[in-house]
Amino acid sequence: MRWLTKSSLQNPAMVVLLSLLVALGGVFSFLVINIESEPQAKLGMLTVSTSYPNASAEDVMNDVTKPLERAVEAVSGVKTYISSSQENHSMLTISMESNAEMEKVRDEVEKSVISTKLPAAANLPKVKLRVVGGEPMYFLAISNKEQLRTNEAFYRLSCLLFYWLPCS
């Protein structure tokens, strides 16, 4: 590190030039990089739920979940999936590739799981598309204590949620 201090003191023009390059790089980045207050980052998630009345968790896994997993694996645009089998119910949560067309993948998954051979007692699988990032991340509400007190139930809930709110 001594050499850096020594060379900086001997070559002040180099220090000024490096400082200008860093400053110009910052200005260039500020002007070129697009900054959004709410970027459009949408991730598609599918849920496939199937009920199988009066079946144990093991039967649901072997007769419903495993065949549905094999059907989902064959669909293009599916990144990963997580499955769970419970008594009377099977659930698959599927994440899609970021560049996949969400509605197209949903339709392909729906065709694939509906054509899967399931036990006669099992209901048809229901496929639902959820778009993560399509809704706001948080909500903010501002009001005063008097307005809150006019609605007693909301006031009590606010006291529970916001411990800093002076409730009496």
Side-chain angles (χ1 to χ4, degrees):
M1 266 331 229
R2 249 187 174 147
W3 64 270
L4 181 63
T5 306
K6 195 175 202 180
S7 63
S8 296
L9 290 173
Q10 290 175 351
N11 302 318
M14 180 183 70
V15 173
V16 171
L17 184 63
L18 284 174
S19 299
L20 283 174
L21 283 174
V22 169
L24 287 175
V27 170
F28 176 76
S29 298
F30 179 75
L31 295 175
V32 171
I33 295 176
N34 187 15
I35 299 173
E36 297 181 18
S37 61
E38 294 182 22
Q40 297 296 321
K42 294 184 179 180
L43 302 172
M45 303 286 287
L46 291 170
T47 56
V48 179
S49 61
T50 311
S51 62
Y52 185 15
N54 303 320
S56 68
E58 188 174 319
D59 289 341
V60 171
M61 182 180 69
N62 293 329
D63 299 340
V64 176
T65 305
K66 293 289 183 186
L68 290 177
E69 285 177 353
R70 285 192 290 275
V72 165
E73 286 173 351
V75 176
S76 63
V78 171
K79 185 176 180 181
T80 59
Y81 64 88
I82 299 171
S83 62
S84 67
S85 301
Q86 301 171 353
E87 202 170 288
N88 305 327
H89 190 76
S90 168
M91 175 75 78
L92 269 78
T93 304
I94 303 165
S95 65
M96 292 184 258
E97 298 285 344
S98 60
N99 58 353
E101 294 179 38
M102 291 182 241
E103 286 78 18
K104 184 179 176 186
V105 174
R106 181 198 58 209
D107 293 342
E108 288 180 25
V109 166
E110 195 165 27
K111 285 178 192 173
S112 181
V113 297
I114 287 177
S115 65
T116 302
K117 182 157 175 32
L118 298 175
N123 295 330
L124 283 176
K126 294 177 184 166
V127 179
K128 292 184 183 177
L129 173 65
R130 282 188 27 222
V131 179
V132 179
E135 63 274 346
M137 296 300 245
Y138 60 88
F139 295 94
L140 178 64
I142 300 173
S143 65
N144 64 29
K145 283 191 283 184
E146 296 308 315
Q147 286 175 334
L148 286 175
R149 286 201 173 118
T150 58
N151 186 347
E152 189 65 31
F154 184 72
Y155 177 69
R156 289 181 186 195
L157 179 64
S158 299
C159 290
L160 290 173
L161 293 176
F162 308 110
Y163 61 91
W164 47 264
L165 186 66
C167 299
S168 54

